[in-house]
Coordinates of all heavy atoms in Angstrom, one line a residue:
M1 N -31.4 -28.0 10.5 CA -30.6 -28.0 11.7 C -30.1 -29.4 11.9 O -30.7 -30.5 11.8 CB -31.5 -27.6 12.9 CG -30.7 -27.5 14.2 SD -31.8 -26.7 15.3 CE -31.4 -27.4 16.9
T2 N -28.7 -29.5 12.2 CA -28.1 -30.8 12.3 C -28.0 -31.1 13.8 O -27.9 -30.2 14.6 CB -26.7 -30.7 11.7 OG1 -25.9 -29.7 12.4 CG2 -26.7 -30.4 10.2
K3 N -28.1 -32.4 14.0 CA -28.0 -32.9 15.5 C -26.4 -33.2 15.7 O -25.8 -33.7 14.8 CB -28.8 -34.1 15.5 CG -30.2 -34.1 15.5 CD -30.9 -35.3 15.8 CE -32.5 -35.1 15.9 NZ -33.1 -36.4 16.2
E4 N -26.1 -33.0 16.9 CA -24.7 -33.3 17.2 C -24.8 -34.8 17.8 O -25.6 -35.2 18.6 CB -24.3 -32.4 18.4 CG -24.0 -31.0 18.0 CD -23.3 -30.2 19.1 OE1 -22.7 -30.8 19.9 OE2 -23.5 -28.9 19.1
I5 N -23.8 -35.5 17.3 CA -23.7 -36.9 17.7 C -22.8 -37.0 18.9 O -21.7 -36.5 18.9 CB -23.2 -37.8 16.6 CG1 -24.2 -37.8 15.5 CG2 -22.9 -39.2 17.1 CD1 -23.7 -38.5 14.2
D6 N -23.2 -37.6 20.0 CA -22.4 -37.8 21.2 C -21.8 -39.1 21.2 O -22.6 -40.2 21.4 CB -23.3 -37.6 22.5 CG -22.5 -37.5 23.7 OD1 -21.3 -37.5 23.7 OD2 -23.1 -37.5 24.7
N7 N -20.5 -39.3 21.1 CA -19.9 -40.6 21.1 C -19.3 -41.0 22.4 O -18.4 -41.9 22.5 CB -18.7 -40.5 20.1 CG -19.2 -40.4 18.7 OD1 -20.2 -40.8 18.3 ND2 -18.3 -39.7 17.8
Y8 N -19.9 -40.5 23.4 CA -19.4 -40.8 24.8 C -19.9 -42.2 25.2 O -20.9 -42.7 25.0 CB -20.1 -39.9 25.8 CG -19.8 -40.3 27.3 CD1 -18.6 -40.1 27.8 CD2 -20.8 -40.7 28.1 CE1 -18.1 -40.3 29.0 CE2 -20.5 -41.1 29.4 CZ -19.2 -40.8 29.8 OH -18.9 -41.1 31.2
S9 N -18.8 -43.0 25.5 CA -19.1 -44.4 26.0 C -18.5 -44.6 27.4 O -17.3 -44.6 27.5 CB -18.5 -45.3 25.0 OG -18.7 -46.7 25.4
A10 N -19.4 -44.5 28.4 CA -19.0 -44.6 29.8 C -18.3 -46.1 30.1 O -17.4 -46.1 30.9 CB -20.1 -44.3 30.7
F11 N -18.7 -47.0 29.4 CA -18.4 -48.4 29.8 C -17.4 -49.0 28.7 O -17.3 -50.2 28.6 CB -19.6 -49.3 29.9 CG -20.5 -48.7 30.9 CD1 -21.7 -48.3 30.6 CD2 -20.2 -48.6 32.3 CE1 -22.7 -47.7 31.5 CE2 -21.1 -48.2 33.2 CZ -22.3 -47.7 32.7
A12 N -16.7 -48.1 28.0 CA -15.7 -48.7 26.9 C -14.6 -49.5 27.7 O -14.2 -49.1 28.8 CB -15.2 -47.5 26.2
E13 N -14.3 -50.6 27.1 CA -13.3 -51.5 27.7 C -13.5 -52.1 29.1 O -12.6 -52.5 29.7 CB -11.9 -50.7 27.7 CG -11.5 -50.1 26.4 CD -10.1 -49.4 26.5 OE1 -9.4 -49.5 27.5 OE2 -9.8 -48.6 25.6
I14 N -14.7 -52.1 29.4 CA -15.1 -52.7 30.6 C -15.9 -54.0 30.4 O -16.9 -54.0 29.6 CB -15.9 -51.8 31.6 CG1 -15.2 -50.5 31.9 CG2 -16.5 -52.5 32.7 CD1 -15.4 -50.0 33.2
N15 N -15.5 -55.1 31.0 CA -16.2 -56.3 30.9 C -17.4 -56.4 31.7 O -17.3 -56.7 33.0 CB -15.2 -57.5 31.2 CG -15.8 -58.8 30.9 OD1 -16.9 -58.9 30.4 ND2 -15.0 -59.9 31.2
L16 N -18.6 -56.2 31.2 CA -19.8 -56.2 31.9 C -20.5 -57.6 31.9 O -21.6 -57.8 32.4 CB -20.8 -55.1 31.5 CG -20.3 -53.7 31.6 CD1 -21.4 -52.7 31.0 CD2 -20.3 -53.4 33.1
S17 N -19.8 -58.5 31.3 CA -20.3 -59.9 31.2 C -20.4 -60.5 32.6 O -19.6 -60.4 33.5 CB -19.6 -60.7 30.2 OG -20.0 -62.1 30.3
N18 N -21.4 -61.4 32.9 CA -21.5 -62.1 34.1 C -20.8 -63.4 33.9 O -20.6 -64.1 34.9 CB -23.0 -62.3 34.5 CG -23.7 -61.1 34.9 OD1 -23.0 -60.2 35.4 ND2 -25.0 -61.0 34.8
A19 N -20.3 -63.7 32.8 CA -19.6 -65.0 32.6 C -18.1 -64.8 33.1 O -17.5 -63.7 32.8 CB -19.7 -65.5 31.1
R20 N -17.6 -65.9 33.6 CA -16.2 -65.9 34.1 C -15.4 -66.3 32.8 O -15.6 -67.3 32.2 CB -16.1 -66.9 35.2 CG -14.7 -66.9 35.8 CD -14.7 -67.8 36.9 NE -13.3 -68.3 37.2 CZ -13.0 -69.2 38.0 NH1 -13.9 -70.0 38.5 NH2 -11.7 -69.6 38.2
S21 N -14.3 -65.6 32.7 CA -13.4 -65.8 31.6 C -12.5 -67.1 32.0 O -12.4 -67.4 33.1 CB -12.4 -64.6 31.4 OG -13.1 -63.4 31.1
E22 N -11.9 -67.6 30.9 CA -11.2 -68.8 31.2 C -9.9 -68.6 32.0 O -9.6 -69.4 32.8 CB -10.8 -69.5 29.8 CG -11.9 -70.1 29.0 CD -11.4 -70.7 27.6 OE1 -10.1 -71.1 27.6 OE2 -12.2 -70.9 26.8
N23 N -9.3 -67.5 31.8 CA -8.1 -67.2 32.5 C -8.2 -66.2 33.7 O -7.3 -65.6 34.1 CB -7.1 -66.5 31.4 CG -7.6 -65.3 30.9 OD1 -8.8 -64.9 31.0 ND2 -6.7 -64.5 30.1
E24 N -9.5 -66.1 34.1 CA -9.8 -65.3 35.3 C -9.9 -66.1 36.5 O -10.7 -67.1 36.5 CB -11.1 -64.5 34.9 CG -11.5 -63.5 35.9 CD -12.8 -62.7 35.5 OE1 -13.7 -63.3 34.8 OE2 -12.9 -61.5 35.9
S25 N -9.2 -65.8 37.6 CA -9.4 -66.5 38.9 C -10.8 -66.2 39.4 O -11.4 -65.2 39.1 CB -8.3 -66.1 39.9 OG -8.5 -64.8 40.3
Y26 N -11.2 -67.1 40.4 CA -12.5 -66.8 41.0 C -12.5 -65.6 41.8 O -13.5 -64.8 41.8 CB -12.8 -68.1 41.9 CG -14.2 -68.1 42.5 CD1 -15.3 -68.2 41.7 CD2 -14.3 -67.6 43.9 CE1 -16.5 -68.1 42.3 CE2 -15.6 -67.6 44.3 CZ -16.7 -67.8 43.6 OH -18.0 -67.7 44.1
E27 N -11.4 -65.3 42.4 CA -11.4 -63.9 43.3 C -11.5 -62.8 42.3 O -12.2 -61.9 42.7 CB -10.0 -63.9 44.1 CG -9.9 -64.9 45.2 CD -9.6 -66.4 44.8 OE1 -9.0 -66.4 43.6 OE2 -9.8 -67.3 45.4
D28 N -10.8 -62.8 41.2 CA -10.8 -61.7 40.3 C -12.3 -61.5 39.7 O -12.8 -60.5 39.5 CB -9.8 -61.8 39.1 CG -8.5 -61.6 39.7 OD1 -8.3 -61.0 40.8 OD2 -7.5 -62.1 38.9
Y29 N -12.9 -62.8 39.5 CA -14.2 -62.8 38.9 C -15.2 -62.1 39.8 O -16.0 -61.3 39.5 CB -14.6 -64.2 38.6 CG -16.0 -64.5 38.4 CD1 -16.7 -64.0 37.1 CD2 -16.8 -65.2 39.2 CE1 -18.0 -64.3 37.0 CE2 -18.2 -65.4 38.9 CZ -18.7 -65.0 37.8 OH -20.0 -65.2 37.6
R30 N -15.1 -62.5 41.2 CA -16.1 -61.9 42.2 C -15.8 -60.4 42.3 O -16.7 -59.6 42.5 CB -15.8 -62.7 43.6 CG -16.3 -64.1 43.5 CD -17.7 -64.4 43.1 NE -18.5 -63.8 44.1 CZ -19.9 -63.6 43.8 NH1 -20.5 -64.0 42.7 NH2 -20.6 -62.9 44.7
K31 N -14.5 -60.0 42.3 CA -14.2 -58.6 42.4 C -14.8 -57.9 41.2 O -15.4 -56.8 41.4 CB -12.7 -58.5 42.5 CG -12.2 -57.0 42.5 CD -10.7 -56.9 42.5 CE -10.2 -55.5 42.4 NZ -8.8 -55.5 42.3
R32 N -14.6 -58.4 40.1 CA -15.1 -57.7 38.8 C -16.7 -57.6 38.9 O -17.2 -56.6 38.6 CB -14.7 -58.5 37.5 CG -15.2 -57.8 36.3 CD -14.7 -58.5 35.1 NE -15.1 -59.9 34.9 CZ -16.2 -60.4 34.6 NH1 -17.1 -59.6 34.1 NH2 -16.3 -61.7 34.6
L33 N -17.4 -58.6 39.3 CA -18.8 -58.5 39.4 C -19.3 -57.5 40.4 O -20.3 -56.8 40.2 CB -19.5 -59.9 39.9 CG -19.4 -61.0 38.9 CD1 -20.0 -62.3 39.5 CD2 -20.1 -60.6 37.5
K34 N -18.6 -57.5 41.6 CA -19.0 -56.4 42.6 C -18.7 -55.0 42.0 O -19.6 -54.0 42.2 CB -18.1 -56.5 43.9 CG -18.6 -55.6 45.0 CD -17.8 -55.8 46.2 CE -18.1 -54.8 47.3 NZ -18.6 -53.5 46.9
Q35 N -17.6 -54.9 41.4 CA -17.2 -53.5 40.7 C -18.2 -53.1 39.6 O -18.8 -52.0 39.7 CB -15.9 -53.7 40.1 CG -15.4 -52.4 39.5 CD -13.9 -52.7 38.9 OE1 -13.2 -53.5 39.3 NE2 -13.5 -51.7 38.1
N36 N -18.7 -54.1 38.8 CA -19.7 -53.8 37.8 C -21.0 -53.4 38.5 O -21.7 -52.5 38.0 CB -19.9 -55.0 36.9 CG -18.8 -55.3 36.0 OD1 -17.9 -54.5 35.9 ND2 -18.7 -56.5 35.4
K37 N -21.4 -54.1 39.6 CA -22.6 -53.8 40.3 C -22.6 -52.5 40.8 O -23.6 -51.6 40.7 CB -22.9 -54.8 41.4 CG -24.2 -54.6 42.1 CD -24.3 -55.7 43.2 CE -25.4 -55.4 44.1 NZ -25.5 -56.3 45.3
D38 N -21.5 -52.1 41.4 CA -21.4 -50.7 42.0 C -21.4 -49.6 41.0 O -22.0 -48.5 41.1 CB -20.1 -50.7 42.8 CG -20.1 -51.5 44.1 OD1 -21.3 -51.8 44.4 OD2 -19.1 -51.7 44.6
I39 N -20.8 -49.8 39.8 CA -20.7 -48.8 38.7 C -22.1 -48.7 38.1 O -22.5 -47.6 37.9 CB -19.7 -49.3 37.6 CG1 -18.3 -49.3 38.1 CG2 -19.9 -48.5 36.4 CD1 -17.3 -49.9 37.2
L40 N -22.8 -49.8 37.8 CA -24.1 -49.6 37.2 C -25.1 -49.1 38.2 O -26.0 -48.3 37.8 CB -24.5 -51.0 36.8 CG -23.9 -51.7 35.6 CD1 -24.3 -53.1 35.4 CD2 -24.0 -50.8 34.4
K41 N -25.0 -49.3 39.5 CA -25.8 -48.7 40.5 C -25.7 -47.2 40.5 O -26.6 -46.4 40.5 CB -25.5 -49.2 41.9 CG -26.5 -48.7 43.0 CD -26.1 -49.4 44.3 CE -27.0 -48.8 45.3 NZ -26.7 -49.4 46.7
L42 N -24.4 -46.7 40.5 CA -24.1 -45.3 40.5 C -24.7 -44.7 39.1 O -25.2 -43.6 39.1 CB -22.5 -45.1 40.5 CG -22.1 -43.7 40.4 CD1 -22.7 -42.9 41.6 CD2 -20.7 -43.5 40.4
Y43 N -24.5 -45.4 38.0 CA -25.0 -44.9 36.7 C -26.5 -44.7 36.8 O -27.0 -43.7 36.4 CB -24.5 -45.8 35.6 CG -24.9 -45.4 34.3 CD1 -24.2 -44.4 33.6 CD2 -26.1 -45.9 33.6 CE1 -24.5 -44.0 32.3 CE2 -26.4 -45.3 32.3 CZ -25.6 -44.6 31.7 OH -26.0 -44.1 30.4
K44 N -27.2 -45.7 37.3 CA -28.6 -45.6 37.4 C -29.2 -44.6 38.3 O -30.1 -44.0 38.2 CB -29.2 -46.9 37.7 CG -29.1 -48.0 36.5 CD -29.5 -49.4 37.1 CE -29.3 -50.5 36.0 NZ -29.6 -51.7 36.3
T45 N -28.4 -44.3 39.4 CA -28.6 -43.4 40.5 C -28.6 -42.0 39.9 O -29.5 -41.2 40.2 CB -27.9 -43.6 41.8 OG1 -28.0 -44.9 42.2 CG2 -28.3 -42.7 42.8
V46 N -27.4 -41.6 39.4 CA -27.2 -40.2 39.0 C -27.6 -39.9 37.6 O -27.7 -38.7 37.3 CB -25.7 -39.8 39.2 CG1 -25.3 -40.0 40.6 CG2 -24.7 -40.6 38.3
G47 N -27.7 -40.9 36.7 CA -28.1 -40.5 35.3 C -27.0 -40.3 34.5 O -25.8 -40.1 34.9
R48 N -27.2 -40.4 33.1 CA -26.2 -40.4 32.1 C -25.4 -39.1 32.1 O -24.2 -39.0 32.1 CB -26.7 -40.6 30.8 CG -25.7 -40.7 29.6 CD -26.4 -40.9 28.3 NE -25.4 -41.4 27.3 CZ -24.7 -40.4 26.6 NH1 -24.8 -39.2 26.8 NH2 -23.8 -40.9 25.7
D49 N -26.1 -38.0 32.2 CA -25.4 -36.6 32.1 C -24.6 -36.4 33.4 O -23.4 -36.0 33.1 CB -26.6 -35.5 32.0 CG -27.3 -35.6 30.7 OD1 -26.7 -36.0 29.7 OD2 -28.4 -35.1 30.7
N50 N -25.0 -36.7 34.5 CA -24.1 -36.5 35.7 C -23.0 -37.5 35.7 O -21.9 -37.2 36.1 CB -24.9 -36.7 37.0 CG -25.9 -35.5 37.2 OD1 -25.7 -34.4 36.8 ND2 -27.0 -35.8 37.8
F51 N -23.2 -38.7 35.3 CA -22.2 -39.7 35.1 C -21.1 -39.2 34.2 O -19.9 -39.4 34.4 CB -22.8 -41.1 34.7 CG -21.9 -42.2 34.9 CD1 -21.9 -42.8 36.2 CD2 -21.1 -42.8 34.0 CE1 -21.1 -43.9 36.5 CE2 -20.4 -43.9 34.2 CZ -20.4 -44.4 35.4
K52 N -21.5 -38.7 33.1 CA -20.6 -38.1 32.1 C -19.7 -37.0 32.7 O -18.5 -36.9 32.4 CB -21.3 -37.7 30.9 CG -20.4 -37.2 29.8 CD -21.3 -36.8 28.6 CE -20.4 -36.3 27.4 NZ -21.1 -35.9 26.2
Q53 N -20.3 -36.1 33.5 CA -19.5 -35.1 34.2 C -18.6 -35.7 35.3 O -17.5 -35.2 35.4 CB -20.5 -34.1 34.9 CG -21.2 -33.3 34.0 CD -22.2 -32.3 34.7 OE1 -22.4 -32.5 35.9 NE2 -22.9 -31.5 34.0
M54 N -19.0 -36.8 35.9 CA -18.2 -37.3 36.9 C -16.9 -38.2 36.2 O -15.8 -38.2 36.7 CB -19.0 -38.4 37.8 CG -20.0 -37.7 38.6 SD -21.1 -38.9 39.3 CE -20.1 -39.7 40.5
F55 N -17.2 -38.8 35.1 CA -16.2 -39.6 34.4 C -16.2 -39.2 32.9 O -16.7 -40.0 32.1 CB -16.6 -41.1 34.5 CG -16.7 -41.6 35.9 CD1 -18.1 -41.8 36.5 CD2 -15.6 -41.8 36.7 CE1 -18.1 -42.3 37.8 CE2 -15.7 -42.3 37.9 CZ -17.0 -42.5 38.4
P56 N -15.6 -38.1 32.6 CA -15.6 -37.6 31.2 C -15.0 -38.5 30.2 O -15.4 -38.4 29.1 CB -15.0 -36.1 31.3 CG -14.2 -36.2 32.6 CD -14.9 -37.1 33.4
N57 N -13.9 -39.2 30.7 CA -13.3 -40.1 29.8 C -13.6 -41.5 29.9 O -12.9 -42.5 29.5 CB -11.8 -39.9 30.0 CG -11.4 -38.5 29.6 OD1 -11.8 -38.0 28.7 ND2 -10.3 -38.0 30.3
G58 N -14.6 -41.8 30.7 CA -15.2 -43.1 30.9 C -14.6 -43.7 32.2 O -13.8 -43.2 32.9
V59 N -15.3 -44.8 32.6 CA -14.9 -45.4 34.0 C -13.6 -46.0 33.9 O -12.9 -46.0 34.9 CB -16.1 -46.4 34.4 CG1 -15.6 -47.1 35.6 CG2 -17.4 -45.7 34.4
Q60 N -13.3 -46.6 32.8 CA -11.9 -47.3 32.7 C -10.8 -46.4 33.1 O -9.9 -46.9 33.8 CB -11.8 -47.9 31.4 CG -10.5 -48.8 31.2 CD -10.6 -50.0 32.1 OE1 -11.6 -50.6 32.4 NE2 -9.4 -50.6 32.4
E61 N -10.8 -45.3 32.6 CA -9.7 -44.4 33.0 C -9.5 -44.0 34.4 O -8.5 -44.0 35.0 CB -9.8 -43.1 32.1 CG -8.6 -42.2 32.4 CD -8.5 -40.9 31.5 OE1 -8.9 -41.0 30.3 OE2 -8.3 -39.9 32.0
A62 N -10.8 -43.7 35.0 CA -10.9 -43.6 36.4 C -10.4 -44.8 37.3 O -9.6 -44.6 38.2 CB -12.3 -43.2 36.9
L63 N -10.6 -45.9 36.8 CA -10.2 -47.2 37.5 C -8.6 -47.3 37.4 O -8.0 -47.7 38.4 CB -10.9 -48.4 36.9 CG -12.3 -48.5 37.2 CD1 -12.9 -49.7 36.4 CD2 -12.6 -48.6 38.7
K64 N -8.1 -47.0 36.3 CA -6.7 -47.0 36.0 C -6.0 -46.0 36.9 O -5.0 -46.3 37.5 CB -6.3 -46.7 34.4 CG -6.6 -47.9 33.6 CD -6.2 -47.5 32.2 CE -6.6 -48.7 31.2 NZ -6.3 -48.3 29.9
N65 N -6.5 -44.8 36.9 CA -6.0 -43.7 37.8 C -5.9 -44.2 39.3 O -5.0 -44.0 40.0 CB -6.6 -42.5 37.6 CG -6.4 -41.8 36.2 OD1 -5.4 -42.2 35.6 ND2 -7.2 -41.0 35.8
T66 N -7.1 -44.8 39.7 CA -7.2 -45.3 41.1 C -6.2 -46.4 41.4 O -5.5 -46.4 42.4 CB -8.6 -45.8 41.3 OG1 -9.5 -44.8 41.0 CG2 -8.7 -46.2 42.8
E67 N -6.0 -47.2 40.4 CA -5.0 -48.4 40.6 C -3.5 -47.8 40.7 O -2.8 -48.2 41.5 CB -5.0 -49.4 39.4 CG -6.3 -50.3 39.5 CD -6.4 -51.2 38.5 OE1 -5.4 -51.3 37.7 OE2 -7.4 -51.8 38.4
E68 N -3.2 -46.8 40.0 CA -1.9 -46.1 40.0 C -1.7 -45.5 41.2 O -0.6 -45.6 41.8 CB -1.7 -45.2 38.8 CG -1.6 -45.7 37.4 CD -1.6 -44.6 36.4 OE1 -1.7 -43.5 36.7 OE2 -1.7 -45.1 35.2
V69 N -2.6 -44.8 41.8 CA -2.6 -44.2 43.2 C -2.3 -45.2 44.2 O -1.5 -45.0 45.1 CB -3.7 -43.3 43.5 CG1 -3.7 -42.7 44.8 CG2 -3.8 -42.1 42.4
V70 N -3.0 -46.2 44.2 CA -3.0 -47.3 45.2 C -1.6 -48.0 45.1 O -0.9 -48.2 46.2 CB -4.1 -48.4 45.1 CG1 -3.8 -49.6 46.0 CG2 -5.4 -47.7 45.4
H71 N -1.0 -48.3 44.0 CA 0.2 -48.9 43.8 C 1.4 -48.0 44.2 O 2.4 -48.4 44.6 CB 0.4 -49.4 42.4 CG -0.5 -50.6 42.2 ND1 -0.5 -51.8 42.9 CD2 -1.5 -50.8 41.3 CE1 -1.3 -52.6 42.4 NE2 -1.9 -52.0 41.5
N72 N 1.2 -46.7 44.0 CA 2.3 -45.7 44.3 C 2.3 -45.4 45.8 O 3.3 -44.8 46.2 CB 2.2 -44.5 43.4 CG 2.4 -44.7 42.0 OD1 3.1 -45.6 41.5 ND2 1.9 -43.9 41.1
S73 N 1.3 -45.7 46.5 CA 1.3 -45.4 47.9 C 2.1 -46.4 48.7 O 2.4 -47.4 48.5 CB -0.1 -45.4 48.4 OG -0.9 -44.3 47.8

């Protein structure tokens, strides 16, 4: 019996580092840290399987869609 490999990566293309980038403003840095904290809290609360159902294409796509809606309003 073969095992199915799950290539799901919820945090692909998300900077989870606590270090501030050279070209990142302090405001953007603080915003990213809060966003990371909230994402990880949700992930730990609901678990991997539920998180995968909530964000089937990863968190980055959901964040992009949210930004588009905000900018179009």
Side-chain angles (χ1 to χ4, degrees):
M1 187 163 144
T2 61
K3 290 185 178 181
E4 290 185 30
I5 297 175
D6 187 8
N7 291 331
Y8 176 69
S9 179
F11 305 111
E13 301 179 20
I14 297 220
N15 183 1
L16 293 174
S17 172
N18 287 335
R20 183 175 161 197
S21 302
E22 289 182 22
N23 58 351
E24 186 176 29
S25 70
Y26 184 74
E27 291 81 22
D28 290 340
Y29 167 69
R30 296 300 301 167
K31 179 182 172 185
R32 181 176 55 82
L33 287 181
K34 182 182 181 324
Q35 182 178 344
N36 289 348
K37 180 181 173 186
D38 293 342
I39 291 170
L40 291 173
K41 181 178 179 182
L42 178 64
Y43 183 82
K44 291 176 184 177
T45 302
V46 300
R48 184 179 194 275
D49 294 331
N50 290 334
F51 198 81
K52 185 176 179 180
Q53 289 177 351
M54 294 168 68
F55 305 104
N57 296 324
V59 176
Q60 183 64 27
E61 184 173 320
L63 292 175
K64 285 181 184 178
N65 292 341
T66 303
E67 287 179 8
E68 289 176 7
V69 169
V70 169
H71 290 298
N72 291 336
S73 298

